[in-house]
Amino acid sequence: MSTAPDPACACTTLRKATRAVTRLYDEALAPTGMTITQFAILRNVARRGTVALSRLAEILVMERTSLYRALAPLEKLGWLAIADAGARTKTVTVTDAGHAALERAGVPWQAMQTRLIGAFGAEQWAALEATLGRLSTLAQEADA
């Protein structure tokens, strides 16, 4: 009796794809001195103006300690300002220098975005993006 092979590990498959795509974006952003992770953090903070660190961790689906480690070099570069906002709450804001860095990185980011989605196909990307959104929600609900 033959059994069907086990499907590939979902986590391993997603992590491999993430590493490959991250590498592409990091290479595109390298001349700006920014990584795609830093770009994502800056962009998410810029969209919100000022945001609590705990809320930013939720938005980015990051562990707070990982986020705080990722913020340190951005603050040191002067791209982010972290401030106390009351009892055990800190907020983060993109500085003028951070907005300028984000604008410089936007050109190579957009070029890679266009290249990758163009090669993958806009309709396939839209479907994958929706599917990954559902998967992310499912995983977060399972973790709760």
Side-chain angles (χ1 to χ4, degrees):
M1 179 166 134
S2 164
T3 60
D6 288 337
C9 173
C11 185
T12 299
T13 301
L14 289 166
R15 289 175 60 91
K16 284 169 54 176
T18 299
R19 283 192 296 270
V21 171
T22 296
R23 193 173 306 123
L24 286 175
Y25 279 86
D26 279 347
E27 288 171 5
L29 293 175
T32 71
M34 188 181 302
T35 67
I36 191 60
T37 300
Q38 293 170 329
F39 181 84
I41 290 169
L42 283 169
R43 195 165 153 176
N44 275 277
V45 174
R47 286 179 179 155
R48 288 161 179 83
T50 299
V51 62
L53 295 184
S54 58
R55 178 68 184 127
L56 183 60
E58 290 171 10
I59 291 164
L60 295 171
V61 192
M62 290 179 76
E63 294 293 326
R64 280 191 249 176
T65 54
S66 297
L67 174 64
Y68 300 164
R69 279 193 305 273
L71 292 176
L74 296 172
E75 185 179 31
K76 189 174 182 177
L77 287 165
W79 294 349
L80 290 177
I82 298 173
D84 286 323
R88 300 184 328 183
T89 301
K90 290 188 177 201
T91 60
V92 62
T93 306
V94 177
T95 64
D96 289 342
H99 282 290
L102 196 53
E103 189 172 320
R104 284 189 307 273
V107 173
W109 175 86
Q110 186 61 58
M112 180 52 66
Q113 183 82 348
T114 300
R115 179 178 148 207
L116 190 61
I117 292 174
F120 191 69
E123 286 182 22
Q124 286 178 305
W125 169 246
L128 180 59
E129 183 181 22
T131 299
L132 290 173
R134 288 192 305 273
L135 182 59
S136 181
T137 298
L138 175 72
Q140 290 174 69
E141 289 171 353
D143 190 38

